[in-house]
Amino acid sequence: MTGVRFDKFANTVLFILNECQDPPGVTVLVKLLFRADFEHYRRHLHSITGLQYVALRRGPVPDNYKSLFQKLVGRGYMKPESVDLGSAGYSPMECYKPLLKPDRAALSDRELETLHKVVRSHGSKTGARLSAESHQ
């Protein structure tokens, strides 16, 4: 996890999970992480989490995000869940339920401002819409 500020990463994930009205699926979560880091970097010349991102066909995602999320699960920050979308033919959505509130003291005022803006602007969007927007 070279460069990753684990405390910032964990509290950013917890912030997103706690602030979104509906539980974000994994796709939405990784897209919101990217948006937060990108927007913060654009304004302040450094990301919040220190994550490295890889380009995939449907847009950027944190490198090794599955293992990073497993570390959060293993440390008791969140737990995996499946949410039935109630649509015939669709698999349940994979998401995470926060087990803790974010430690806001671990995030600067500027980081909290960025996170609020990102969740307010993008937190209710679908993973498909966020993926499409990452290509515009």
Side-chain angles (χ1 to χ4, degrees), residues 3-6 8-13 16 29-54 60-63 65 68-69 107 110-119 122:
V4 176
R5 295 179 294 278
F6 190 80
K8 297 269 189 186
F9 164 69
N11 283 291
T12 298
V13 169
I16 292 168
L29 181 56
V30 297
K31 299 300 178 191
L32 292 179
L33 281 167
F34 173 75
R35 289 269 180 166
D37 273 341
F38 178 81
E39 286 301 318
H40 200 75
Y41 185 85
R42 191 171 65 80
R43 289 192 174 104
H44 306 291
L45 300 178
H46 64 89
S47 70
I48 297 171
T49 66
L51 291 170
Q52 291 186 354
Y53 290 83
V54 294
V61 299
D63 194 20
Y65 73 90
L68 290 169
F69 288 170
L107 299 163
R110 286 180 170 177
E111 291 165 343
L112 288 167
E113 179 184 347
T114 299
L115 290 169
H116 277 293
K117 285 180 182 178
V118 166
V119 170
H122 305 288

Side-chain angles (χ1 to χ4, degrees), residues 59-120:
V61 299
D63 194 20
N64 298 315
Y65 73 90
K66 290 179 184 180
S67 65
L68 290 169
F69 288 170
Q70 280 306 106
K71 285 183 184 189
L72 292 177
V73 169
R75 294 181 185 185
Y77 289 88
M78 62 187 192
K79 70 176 185 175
E81 283 192 342
S82 292
V83 175
D84 185 4
L85 300 176
S87 301
Y90 287 96
S91 299
M93 178 178 68
E94 293 179 46
C95 61
Y96 291 97
K97 180 180 179 179
L99 298 176
L100 302 169
K101 297 285 186 196
D103 177 5
R104 291 172 186 257
L107 299 163
S108 72
D109 289 343
R110 286 180 170 177
E111 291 165 343
L112 288 167
E113 179 184 347
T114 299
L115 290 169
H116 277 293
K117 285 180 182 178
V118 166
V119 170
R120 191 171 42 250

